[in-house]
Amino acid sequence: RVRSSAASDVYKRQYGKNIGDIMNIVSALINGLSLGSIYALIALGYTMVYGIAKMLNFAHGDIIMIGGYVSFCAMFYLGLPSIVAVLMAVVVCTVLGIVIERLAYKPLRSAPSLAVLITAIGVSYFLQNSALLIWKAAAKTYPPVVAGAVQLFNGQLTISYISLLTIAACIVIMLALTTFVSKSKMGKAMRACSEDKGAAQLMGINVNSTISATFAIGSALAAIAGVLLCSFNTSLMPTTG
């Protein structure tokens, strides 16, 4: 009986250790999926601009940072709800993306790629240093847009709500964007411009408006990615993005 009891205790300890290791692996996988979803949103906006405008938009990361700061100010200084702060960040970044495209990139539509590259780097430095002047260099503690966590298996597995929200938002946005590009008139115009801008213009497609719409969508995705990234890392600074 004593040996049986000791063997049972050893089994329970070993079983508990194995379950704990499995829960740690599952938690790491969920965190990895959450962070990967954020990177997927960032890549979606970046590759849309590159695929249609054929340019490397180095300011994309700084638009992510601007989206984070806009939502932070809306929640922290104005006391607005999280959903309103996210919508405000999306609107501001969408307008900013259109303005950047019209002022910086549109005049260089037929310029050599090196000129566009240098301009993109200049816009990136301008946005980053503007944020540095306005919000200073010190990192700010970013409150997650969704607080709390769900506990499973008697508390052995804890999943934050922001991780679940990030994964769900990425899936929904990917499906919506795929449907938009495949089915809508603007999406088909984007695909045509990506294939051949000259032929698209001959077919009556407004290439400039299509590129502006692409920048608007990419900047909106950058805003959402910025909010989710800052919520995941719980920090925000001018070099974020």
Side-chain angles (χ1 to χ4, degrees):
R1 292 180 180 179
V2 174
R3 289 181 179 178
S4 177
S5 177
S8 177
D9 291 340
V10 170
Y11 173 78
K12 288 180 179 178
R13 287 196 298 270
Q14 187 64 34
Y15 178 78
K17 182 180 179 182
N18 292 339
I19 291 296
D21 292 340
I22 292 173
M23 293 302 106
N24 289 335
I25 293 172
V26 172
S27 179
L29 286 174
I30 293 173
N31 289 333
L33 281 173
S34 178
L35 188 58
S37 298
I38 296 172
Y39 290 154
L41 290 179
I42 296 172
L44 277 175
Y46 193 87
T47 52
M48 278 189 69
V49 172
Y50 179 78
I52 296 172
K54 295 295 185 292
M55 58 160 291
L56 296 173
N57 183 20
F58 285 106
H60 190 73
D62 300 284
I63 294 176
I64 292 171
M65 175 266 298
I66 295 295
Y69 272 113
V70 170
S71 59
F72 174 82
C73 292
M75 290 188 293
F76 188 77
Y77 295 114
L78 302 180
L80 297 176
S82 299
I83 184 64
V84 178
V86 174
L87 291 175
M88 186 179 293
V90 169
V91 171
V92 171
C93 288
T94 300
V95 173
L96 180 62
I98 295 174
V99 170
I100 290 174
E101 192 275 331
R102 291 289 176 88
L103 296 181
Y105 300 141
K106 185 178 179 181
L108 302 175
R109 197 80 80 211
S110 58
S113 57
L114 182 60
V116 180
L117 182 66
I118 294 172
T119 302
I121 295 173
V123 172
S124 175
Y125 275 112
F126 173 77
L127 293 176
Q128 190 174 127
N129 285 279
S130 297
L132 190 63
L133 288 172
I134 297 171
W135 291 291
K136 310 305 178 186
K140 299 185 182 298
T141 302
Y142 191 97
V145 292
V146 179
V150 58
Q151 293 186 344
L152 304 173
F153 303 105
N154 296 323
Q156 295 187 66
L157 177 62
T158 302
I159 305 173
S160 63
Y161 289 138
I162 190 64
S163 296
L164 297 176
L165 175 63
T166 300
I167 296 171
C170 181
I171 293 173
V172 170
I173 290 173
M174 283 183 173
L175 292 175
L177 195 60
T178 300
T179 304
F180 173 80
V181 172
S182 302
K183 305 295 183 181
S184 69
K185 185 176 180 181
M186 178 57 71
K188 293 177 181 178
M190 289 178 177
R191 289 160 57 194
C193 290
S194 177
E195 290 291 333
D196 191 329
K197 292 185 181 64
Q201 196 165 13
L202 289 174
M203 296 301 294
I205 295 174
N206 191 330
V207 174
N208 289 328
S209 297
T210 303
I211 292 177
S212 296
T214 304
F215 269 86
I217 295 173
S219 299
L221 293 176
I224 297 173
V227 171
L228 295 175
L229 179 63
C230 294
S231 296
F232 186 85
N233 294 329
T234 64
S235 65
L236 175 63
M237 61 185 68
T239 55
T240 299

